[in-house]
Structures are given as structure tokens and as C-alpha cells.
Amino acid sequence: RSFSQLHSQYQPERPSFGIAFDIDGVILRGRTPIGGSPQALRKLYADSGTLKIPFLFLTNGGGIPESKRASELSKLLGVNILPSQVVQGHSPFRSLVNRYENELVIAVGKGEPAAVMSEYGFKNVLSIDDYSSYFCNIDPLSRYKSWAIKQEVNKNSTSKEVTRRCNVLSDRVQAAFVVSDSVDWSRDIQVLCDILTTGGLPGTERSNHQPPLYFANDDLEYQAEFPSERLGMGAFRIALEAVFNRIHHSTLEYTSFGKPNPSVFKNAEEILRLQLSSYCNYQIVNNGNTGSHPFKTLYMIGDNPSVDIKGAKQAGHPWFSILTRTGVFKGKENHPEFPADLVVDTVQEAVDYILENEC
Ligand code: G3P
Ligand code: MG
């Protein structure tokens, strides 16, 4: 259901603020809600269950399509989250579909990286698991990987269709997308180096042309269930880059998306603006210019100073940054290098502050 259907009978005073929630280390640790997140989110809805305050999730994580993530979050948090409220690290990959729509591309990472890319419209995408399985002995360590031995290569129908259209053993890979965290660093570094040093075809001669490489984020560390931070996609990028630069004559070229890039915050502003106009049926007119954003303040609630807080700071007005102590940041005072506008213990405290301030 759309926001307008959900909220057609609800015409509150137009809120002049919106909220972007980071997920890992703010809303969840692993799959466990933290910091009173379900209670905090409920305060953004009216008793009838309709949304009062525009909000979205702005996570660098991912690995499953936004629609699936929205239903997972709805179940875990007990509120109705729409797919349009979920922006993941890889969401901007959608904007590259015109360039690669019919090209053979590879998707790396946990979860369903190829399904994510197919949903964005990429027609000839294979997961690095499927792709590697066509090249005998590409990973000499695979026989020692108990999970890889046990896992019967069970190619889904999409991947079968791709291999009907493309000849995996002779067509060159035109781009590689790191959609989510690599599960098998040694295999993925090996196969990515094969693709990137040969102009897209493992086992062939070295080439000067490196196919484009895209990362969904560049997070060095993030907060999962373990008490101390875990290595993220930025750490994998460093490892791949270090190896590639030692074995190849030119340096690795790549593009990273996700926070703290300013475009992520611009996009979030636009989504919140559309949310406001669609669910409240408001015409957003500012000085006669329909389309300008109507917010006095947009709050970014995050746990990672160098990602969430740096991003919100760089984005400037109308962003206001709130740092929680439930994730990467655990300090008593503010962060010295990327100080937030406000530091609180939990997301619940952050939402209480916002609602007291705004309502
Ligand atoms: O892999 C997830 C991690 O990079 C960060 O997620 O929700 O804290 O932006 P989040
Ligand atoms: Mg986080």
C-alpha cells in the first residue's frame, strides 16, 4: 500500500522535520532490536497505526532487496515499514542500470546479491558464487572449505537464464559490484583479481583495461552482535586493493557509495519530501517553487562518527546529527574528530529529544 492509501484519512499539521535512522548499532545489533528501538519507532505513528512523522532507514548494510528488508524490519520492530523507507548501501547501484543493463556483471557479498541487482533491472548478473563455479579449480582452497563442499551448487532460474544469454567462459565481465560484505574473502579476492587484471576474463592474459568496480559502502568497521566492532566492506576493500596493487602494474580503481557521501543525504531528503507530500497530500510549495524541500530540520541518528555524523555534517543544512552510544561509538563525551550536534545513550533518547523539541 502507498503512503497516500495508508494516510488518506489522516491530515495532521504538516511536520517540518524528518528522521533518518541508521540500522546497525542504532536500531539493531545483528537481528536484535536495541536501545528501545521498537518503542521509539511506535512514537512516530498515530494510535490508528498511520504514520505521523516522515522517517526512513539509511543504512550502509544490505544484501537483500529493499522490499524484503522492509518486511524483515517490520517483523523485528513491530511497525509497518514500506520499501520506500529503506535505503541500503547498494540502493544507488540502481542508477547504473542503463550503463550495464545487458552486460555481464558480477555481484559479490552475503545474502542475495544477484537478486538485489536483478530487482534493479540488471539483466545479466551472476553472483560471484555462481560465476566461480563455472571455472574449474579457480579457488584451490575450496576443497578445504567445509561450507563450500556441503553446499550443492543450486543455481536458481535467473542465473540459468543469464547463462543461456551469456557464455560465462568466453564473455568478459563488464563490471563488478560489491553489494554486501564478502563471505569468503580469499575466494572473492582471488576471483576479483582474476576479473580485474585480465579485462574481465579469468585465466586469460593480463590487460591494461580494468573493468569498473563498485562498492556499496566503505565502512572499515560496524557494530554487530559481538561486543567489539567487526570488519566491514571498507576492510575488504583495503585487503583487495593491497593484493591487487602488488600483483598488477596499475593501481586499483573503484567507486564507493553509501554514507558519508553527500549524495546519500540528498537522496534521503528527496525521499522524505516525497513521503511528506504523498502521505499527507500536501503540496510542497516554497516561494512559488514546487519541489523545494519543506523541512526545517532533518535528524540523522547514527552510531558511527566517521560515517553517520561526518555524512550529516558534510550534508549541512537542514541536517542535525545525533550520535548514540549503542554501537561503534562508546565514548563518554562527544567524538573529538567528528563531533555530533547531540550525543545520547540510545535511539529512544534521541527520538524523545526530537519529539520534545519539535512538538
Ligand atoms: O554492513 C553493515 C554496516 O556496514 C553498517 O550498517 O546500518 O550501521 O549503516 P549501518
Ligand atoms: Mg551503524
Side-chain angles (χ1 to χ4, degrees):
R1 287 189 299 162
S2 70
F3 271 110
S4 39
Q5 285 168 314
L6 271 174
H7 305 284
S8 55
Q9 283 149 26
Y10 185 69
Q11 289 289 308
E13 199 184 316
R14 175 168 77 76
S16 61
F17 66 101
I19 309 176
F21 293 93
D22 177 59
I23 295 184
D24 292 314
V26 169
I27 297 288
L28 302 174
R29 271 171 88 150
R31 293 179 60 81
T32 310
I34 53 167
S37 55
Q39 296 88 318
L41 290 170
R42 269 203 296 279
K43 292 183 183 172
L44 309 180
Y45 293 78
D47 291 341
S48 58
T50 58
L51 191 60
K52 284 194 298 192
I53 310 295
F55 80 88
L56 50 65
F57 294 101
L58 209 52
T59 175
N60 272 355
I64 54 172
E66 285 71 14
S67 48
K68 204 162 172 183
R69 194 83 204 268
S71 7
E72 267 191 25
L73 287 168
S74 302
K75 276 192 209 106
L76 290 172
L77 300 166
V79 286
N80 180 33
I81 310 292
L82 299 174
S84 58
Q85 288 177 290
V86 179
V87 178
Q88 307 193 91
H90 48 68
S91 299
F93 287 172
R94 190 192 295 273
S95 66
L96 294 167
V97 74
N98 290 341
R99 208 177 298 174
Y100 300 108
E101 191 175 352
N102 297 305
E103 311 282 5
L104 176 62
V105 300
I106 296 305
V108 180
K110 69 178 182 186
E112 307 160 10
V116 168
M117 299 296 281
S118 299
E119 196 157 298
Y120 294 161
F122 292 80
K123 297 216 168 59
N124 292 326
V125 56
L126 286 178
S127 72
I128 199 164
D129 288 348
D130 277 356
Y131 183 73
S132 306
S133 70
Y134 287 96
F135 294 85
C136 291
N137 303 317
I138 198 167
D139 178 12
L141 302 176
S142 66
R143 76 186 62 177
Y144 304 102
K145 295 175 179 171
S146 49
W147 70 90
I149 294 166
K150 276 189 217 133
Q151 197 182 40
E152 184 58 24
V153 181
N154 186 13
K155 294 187 178 65
N156 60 35
S157 55
T158 323
S159 127
K160 281 184 191 146
E161 270 173 42
V162 174
T163 52
R164 267 198 291 275
R165 286 192 294 266
C166 303
N167 187 338
V168 177
L169 294 173
S170 61
D171 290 355
R172 291 186 181 272
V173 171
Q174 299 301 315
F177 292 84
V178 184
V179 171
S180 48
D181 291 326
S182 163
V183 176
D184 181 354
W185 283 34
S186 78
R187 196 276 314 270
D188 290 353
I189 290 175
Q190 176 66 72
V191 176
L192 284 170
C193 281
D194 288 333
I195 292 170
L196 300 170
T197 57
T198 59
L201 191 55
T204 61
E205 269 181 33
R206 291 285 167 97
S207 160
N208 288 331
H209 165 68
Q210 184 216 300
L213 171 65
Y214 301 98
F215 291 93
N217 72 62
D218 199 39
D219 289 1
L220 188 58
E221 295 183 307
Y222 69 101
Q223 186 68 53
E225 267 161 325
F226 196 70
S228 55
E229 301 86 78
R230 301 293 81 199
L231 299 176
M233 195 180 290
F236 174 73
R237 190 266 302 162
I238 290 169
L240 172 66
E241 191 176 16
V243 174
F244 181 94
N245 291 350
R246 289 295 295 270
I247 63 170
H248 203 51
H249 50 79
S250 52
T251 52
L252 184 72
E253 287 180 13
Y254 61 90
T255 307
S256 300
F257 289 81
K259 299 169 288 184
N261 288 305
S263 57
V264 174
F265 291 82
K266 271 268 151 273
N267 179 46
E269 261 184 72
E270 180 58 17
I271 293 171
L272 290 168
R273 189 184 71 77
L274 289 172
Q275 222 180 76
L276 189 63
S277 54
S278 94
Y279 80 74
C280 290
N281 291 327
Y282 288 115
Q283 251 222 309
I284 308 303
V285 180
N286 192 349
N287 296 331
N289 295 325
T290 305
S292 333
H293 75 71
F295 296 109
K296 280 213 302 270
T297 313
L298 289 175
Y299 296 90
M300 173 73 223
I301 308 176
D303 69 305
N304 192 332
S306 63
V307 175
D308 306 312
I309 307 306
K310 183 182 176 186
K313 289 250 159 220
Q314 278 179 175
H317 179 78
W319 287 93
F320 181 96
S321 56
I322 306 183
L323 180 59
T324 67
R325 295 192 175 91
T326 42
V328 170
F329 177 76
K330 297 170 181 81
K332 279 207 173 74
E333 307 298 330
N334 211 333
H335 189 266
E337 199 182 346
F338 303 109
D341 295 314
L342 178 72
V343 185
V344 294
D345 284 340
T346 63
V347 65
Q348 193 163 21
E349 215 181 292
V351 168
D352 287 346
Y353 167 87
I354 295 169
L355 296 180
E356 263 167 43
N357 206 34
E358 298 284 350
C359 303

